[in-house]
């Protein structure tokens, strides 16, 4: 008599994943199978799961939250860019992006101080640029601190 198949065979089902690529003009920052990603869209943060509908969207400065295939979670600091979602592949094209372990906290803190000084001195013409520099630096610091947790 053969053994009956276990009711739990194949349970839990494997988590569905999709390919995530984060690319800058200089390099591929991340290329991995992931369970989910939350992106800083220009009109607000949005999430992507496997089998998501096709879309192209503008990204703003912020943190990309990634849940890897094995369940590990990481953040990637990003500058402005675009994202394309299609056929279980998410491609982020960003002006700049850094994983938490790549960010030097001392350099970021110095960049924050420079941006604050520039903001204080900026006239009408330089205010927006100084504000964006401060926003980028603060995002980088926030993401860098996740590696300490």
């Amino acid at each position: 008599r053969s053994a009956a198949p276990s009711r739990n065979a194949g349970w839990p089902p494997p988590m569905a994943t999709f390919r995530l690529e984060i690319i800058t003009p200089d390099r591929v920052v991340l290329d991995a199978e992931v369970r989910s990603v939350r992106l800083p869209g220009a009109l607000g943060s949005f999430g992507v799961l496997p089998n998501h509908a096709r879309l192209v969207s503008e990204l703003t400065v912020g943190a990309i939250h990634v849940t890897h295939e094995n369940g590990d979670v990481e953040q990637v600091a990003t500058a402005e860019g675009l994202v394309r979602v299609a056929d279980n592949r998410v491609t982020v094209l960003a002006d700049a992006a850094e994983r938490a372990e790549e960010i030097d906290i001392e350099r970021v803190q110095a960049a924050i101080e420079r941006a604050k000084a520039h903001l204080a001195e900026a006239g009408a013409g330089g205010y927006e640029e100084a504000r964006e520099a401060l926003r980028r630096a603060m995002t980088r610091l926030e993401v860098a601190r996740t590696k300490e947790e």
Side-chain angles (χ1 to χ4, degrees):
R1 182 177 131 152
S2 64
S6 168
R7 277 195 219 176
N8 294 330
W11 190 258
M15 288 294 287
T17 62
F18 59 91
R19 194 84 181 156
L20 171 64
E21 297 172 301
I22 301 175
I23 303 168
T24 69
D26 300 325
R27 67 193 179 107
V28 174
V29 176
L30 182 66
D31 184 358
E33 285 293 317
V34 302
R35 292 183 190 177
S36 68
V37 62
R38 176 156 294 285
L39 300 150
L43 298 176
S45 175
F46 65 95
V48 176
L49 295 171
N51 302 310
H52 195 283
R54 292 172 175 258
L55 72 85
V56 174
S57 182
E58 184 179 353
L59 298 178
T60 188
V61 172
I64 298 173
H65 299 262
V66 179
T67 302
H68 288 274
E69 185 174 25
N70 65 3
D72 288 350
V73 177
E74 82 167 298
Q75 291 187 36
V76 178
T78 187
E80 294 84 2
L82 296 171
V83 61
R84 176 181 183 262
V85 179
D87 304 320
N88 272 326
R89 180 177 293 273
V90 174
T91 304
V92 172
L93 301 175
D95 293 336
E98 293 175 280
R99 297 173 85 164
E101 65 268 12
E102 299 170 337
I103 299 172
D104 181 332
I105 291 178
E106 289 178 11
R107 285 186 57 215
V108 171
Q109 289 171 330
I112 289 170
E113 293 309 313
R114 283 192 309 274
K116 285 180 179 178
H118 188 109
L119 196 56
E121 298 167 0
Y127 177 79
E128 196 61 36
E129 181 182 320
R131 191 176 72 108
E132 283 303 306
L134 179 58
R135 199 165 132 215
R136 283 190 302 272
M138 294 297 290
T139 296
R140 291 175 65 223
L141 181 60
E142 175 188 317
V143 168
R145 286 187 171 153
T146 66
K147 72 181 176 189
E148 297 172 349
E149 296 175 355

